[in-house]
Amino acid sequence: MAPPLTIRAATRGDAPGVLAIYAPIVESSAITFETETPSLDEIEARIERGLVDYAWLVAEQDGAVLGYAYAGMLRLRTAYRAAVETSVYIAPGKQRSGLASQLYQALFAALARREFHTALAAITLPNEASVRFHETQGFTAVGRFREVGTKFGQWHDVGWWQKML
């Protein structure tokens, strides 16, 4: 029998597990437009900042971080304060296991408790798997920015999806 899966608020101590999931994505894909892998200190700081006003969650099993989801500021202006941008990342080998859905559902509940109104997700296109996933989570397409990011010598479009909390 597999050890129980726990979804909980992230801590600084989860940063190595988060970085182990995120670093290969930065280094080998355009899913994120981050071009340099952040340091462990930077991941720790991101978790701490995110927990102050938003939410950062990890899925943990037997002491290992299998995935994480978080929300952050959409835009700096005060009028945007009830809207957040969300992200979810899952460890290789654990994708398509339902873990991302569990993390997102817990994230949405945490955001609703904090009285956030709107969640948005930016998806580098094309990415049919992410589009399908977000739509199964209740997001709807609201726009597309053409060629707004460049990574690995290619221009990429970004689509935006929205979910009312």
Side-chain angles (χ1 to χ4, degrees):
M1 180 154 86
L5 176 75
T6 303
I7 295 178
R8 59 170 175 76
T11 68
R12 285 179 65 92
D14 295 315
V18 167
L19 187 55
I21 293 168
Y22 189 57
I25 295 168
V26 172
E27 295 162 5
S28 66
S29 81
I31 290 171
T32 176
F33 283 172
E34 196 149 17
T35 57
E36 299 292 326
T37 301
S39 68
L40 186 59
D41 288 342
E42 174 58 22
I43 296 295
E44 290 173 345
R46 289 178 187 186
I47 290 170
E48 285 187 338
R49 283 191 309 265
L51 287 170
V52 172
D53 293 317
Y54 301 98
W56 250 89
L57 304 175
V58 295
E60 175 190 43
Q61 188 172 46
D62 203 23
V65 174
L66 303 181
Y68 65 98
Y70 65 92
M73 180 184 294
L74 177 66
R75 305 247 349 229
L76 188 57
R77 304 278 193 287
T78 303
Y80 291 103
R81 71 185 169 280
V84 294
E85 184 177 347
T86 62
S87 294
V88 61
Y89 293 95
I90 305 299
K94 299 297 180 181
Q95 295 156 337
R96 294 181 178 79
S97 67
L99 187 55
S101 293
Q102 291 175 59
L103 276 163
Y104 249 3
Q105 292 308 309
L107 181 67
F108 300 149
L111 294 169
R113 283 192 301 276
R114 289 182 166 218
E115 299 183 356
F116 287 101
H117 182 68
T118 306
L120 290 114
I123 302 173
T124 304
L125 301 173
N127 188 338
E128 284 306 312
S130 186
V131 168
R132 229 178 0 264
F133 167 73
H134 281 84
E135 289 178 351
T136 66
Q137 299 302 305
F139 284 82
T140 57
V142 292
R144 181 180 189 136
F145 296 110
R146 302 209 180 272
E147 297 184 5
V148 293
T150 182
K151 190 169 179 184
F152 305 129
Q154 292 186 309
W155 285 101
H156 299 278
D157 293 359
V158 173
W160 283 89
W161 275 257
Q162 181 177 14
K163 173 184 177 74
M164 305 311 284
L165 299 169

